[in-house]
Amino acid sequence: KNEVEQSPQNLTAQEGEFITINCSYSVGISALHWLQQHPGGGIVSLFMLSSGKKKHGRLIATINIQEKHSSLHITASHPRDSAVYICAVRTYLRHTGNQFYFGTGTSLTVIP
Amino acid sequence: EAQVTQNPRYLITVTGKKLTVTCSQNMNHEYMSWYRQDPGLGLRQIYYSMNVEVTDKGDVPEGYKVSRKEKRNFPLILESPSPNQTSLYFCASSSRLAGGTYNEQFFGPGTRLTVL
């Protein structure tokens, strides 16, 4: 069972390109999270969304609750954006409580 | 500095030897959670706690125990480790928001466990 699906699994881009990573989920959620994991393993939270759109610098995250889909966009990509990007959903259902489910991640490499 | 700490960062052990990985946060967060990360499978939730003395199973709780006696600490216990528990483990915490939802998670640096 895959509650969260991400695409693509791997992505290589030239510096300056516009990048989109997609996430679809199949469970009821209270929030969707985008995480970033750099080589070396540390995980950082980029966004938490329950509706609409959020923007931090060159990163934009959107969510469509009806379609159960979210996208993470990176504008003017830079080699320092090279990392694994992980989509996660927090459920809030009576039988699952506050459980998290994760996509398997998108490995992004930005070439100078 | 606001942080989540885990100890040890690296551990090699043998099958059946009980071990504890500690997790501590200094942000007074209500929610704490343990995850394991494996190649091809991604992150999976082991156990979580919504507050002191309240713990719940995640997706893969078999072979693990947790306790939440204090708000800041959430240790992960492997009573009898087996090789299939070799993995990268992360602890995380988040604060409770008005309305009963929770904020973004802060992650610890990870503990790489090898069970021989």
Side-chain angles (χ1 to χ4, degrees), chain B residues 68-112:
Chain B
R68 188 92 181 273
K69 294 187 172 64
E70 307 162 284
K71 201 170 187 180
R72 64 183 294 128
N73 296 323
F74 191 46
L76 180 70
I77 302 157
L78 284 72
E79 294 268 5
S80 183
S82 62
N84 64 13
Q85 293 178 298
T86 292
S87 188
L88 179 58
Y89 291 86
F90 289 98
C91 179
S93 71
S94 62
S95 59
R96 185 180 173 96
L97 300 172
T101 58
Y102 291 85
N103 211 340
E104 298 180 68
Q105 291 192 95
F106 286 77
F107 285 81
T111 294
R112 189 167 293 280

Side-chain angles (χ1 to χ4, degrees), chain A residues 37-42 82-84:
Chain A
Q37 185 173 27
H38 277 289
S82 297
V84 175

